[in-house]
Each structure stands twice: as C-alpha cells, then as structure tokens.
Amino acid sequence: MLDRAINDLMRVAEAASRKDLTVVPQRVGDPSLDRLSEGIGTMLTDLRKIISEVVGGTRQFTDSSMLIAKTAQDLAECSLSQNAAVEEMNAAIEQLTRSIQGIRDKAQEANRNA
C-alpha cells in the first residue's frame, strides 16, 4: 500500500514537473496517505488557479500596454498635424503682415504725392 501510494505521488510529481497540473493523486485506502494525496491534489488545483489568474493578468497588462502605445502614437500624430497647421498659420500671418506693410507703404507714398 505504501509503495503504491509513493509511486502514485511520484507519478503526480513527475507530471507536475512536466507542467501538467491536471494529474490527480489516487486514494489508496490509508487515512494518512489519502490525506497527503488530497493535500497534494488541493495544492495542484490551487496552482492551476494561480497560474490562470497570472495568465489573465498578463493578458490584461498586455492589452493595456497596447492601448497605451496606440494612444501615444495617436497623440504624436495629432501633435505633428497640429504643428504643421501652426506652421501654415504662421506663414499665412507673415504673408498677411507683409501685405499690410506694403499697403501701408503705398498709402504713405500716396499721401506724400497728394
């Protein structure tokens, strides 16, 4: 009975070392060994839950990171677009200023000639 219990627990431990946490220890009929098997089974179930939660958290983190990166990219594109619009407005204002100065100069010249 002891050999069978040890062999079964070794089977479970070896499966866990291969990342297979689905293998469940068998009951052997001895209260102490069955309690040990049950404890190991509970531990493996809890490990599966923890790993599942970590994977879920990692997915959420990845999704959030991708969203942040996309938002940053969108902001950068908007910033470039706004910068280009500001440069165009500056050029238009400079041209308007030159036009106004030209009109002022011609008006002053017309006043002198009048």
Side-chain angles (χ1 to χ4, degrees):
M1 180 182 318
L2 182 60
D3 283 342
R4 189 175 68 154
I6 290 172
N7 288 337
D8 185 60
L9 292 174
M10 284 302 300
R11 175 185 65 87
V12 171
E14 288 169 357
S17 74
R18 292 188 309 272
K19 301 176 187 170
D20 181 3
L21 303 178
T22 62
V23 179
V24 180
Q26 303 296 315
R27 298 177 73 81
V28 293
D30 179 74
S32 295
L33 293 174
D34 287 346
R35 233 175 9 133
L36 177 62
S37 294
E38 185 178 315
I40 290 173
T42 300
M43 178 185 70
L44 292 173
T45 298
D46 291 346
L47 281 173
R48 282 194 306 268
K49 287 179 187 176
I50 290 169
I51 290 169
S52 177
E53 290 171 3
V54 168
V55 168
T58 302
R59 284 189 186 126
Q60 286 179 339
F61 180 77
T62 300
D63 291 346
S64 296
S65 296
M66 289 172 50
L67 180 61
I68 289 169
K70 173 74 170 107
T71 301
Q73 181 180 0
D74 290 347
L75 287 172
E77 289 172 4
C78 287
S79 178
L80 288 174
S81 176
Q82 286 179 345
N83 192 28
V86 167
E87 287 179 15
E88 287 177 19
M89 287 188 335
N90 281 338
I93 289 170
E94 287 176 14
Q95 184 178 3
L96 182 60
T97 301
R98 284 192 300 270
S99 294
I100 290 172
Q101 285 174 344
I103 292 170
R104 185 192 67 195
D105 292 346
K106 287 184 182 186
Q108 287 174 347
E109 185 180 325
N111 279 340
R112 280 188 295 237
N113 292 336

